[in-house]
Amino acid sequence: MDDSSESLQAKLAQLAEQLNNHAPSVEETLKIKASMEEILLRLEALQFTLKP
C-alpha cells in the first residue's frame, strides 16, 4: 500500500463510505474499524516524519 498522505486519506474515505452506505455485519464493521485505526496511525506517523 502506498503510504502517501493522499493515498491513505483516500482509503480512509473509502472505508467510511463502506460503513455509511452499506449494512455491514458486526464482523465486517470491526474489520473496517481496525483498518481505519491503522490508517490513522500511519497518517499520524507521516505527520511526524514530514515536520521539519
Side-chain angles (χ1 to χ4, degrees), residues 31-50:
K31 286 180 183 178
I32 291 170
K33 180 181 180 241
S35 294
M36 292 175 95
E37 288 172 344
E38 178 185 335
I39 291 170
L40 288 171
L41 289 173
R42 292 164 86 177
L43 281 168
E44 188 175 288
L46 270 178
Q47 285 181 328
F48 287 116
T49 60
L50 295 177

Side-chain angles (χ1 to χ4, degrees), residues 1-4 6-14 18 20 26 33 35 37 39-40 46-51:
M1 173 189 269
D2 181 12
D3 267 353
S4 72
E6 294 85 12
S7 175
L8 292 172
Q9 289 176 7
K11 181 65 177 171
L12 197 58
Q14 181 184 34
Q18 285 179 0
N20 292 331
V26 171
K33 180 181 180 241
S35 294
E37 288 172 344
I39 291 170
L40 288 171
L46 270 178
Q47 285 181 328
F48 287 116
T49 60
L50 295 177
K51 286 185 179 179

Side-chain angles (χ1 to χ4, degrees), residues 12-35:
L12 197 58
Q14 181 184 34
L15 291 169
E17 182 180 337
Q18 285 179 0
L19 283 176
N20 292 331
N21 295 329
H22 305 291
S25 68
V26 171
E27 184 177 317
E28 290 171 320
T29 300
L30 292 174
K31 286 180 183 178
I32 291 170
K33 180 181 180 241
S35 294

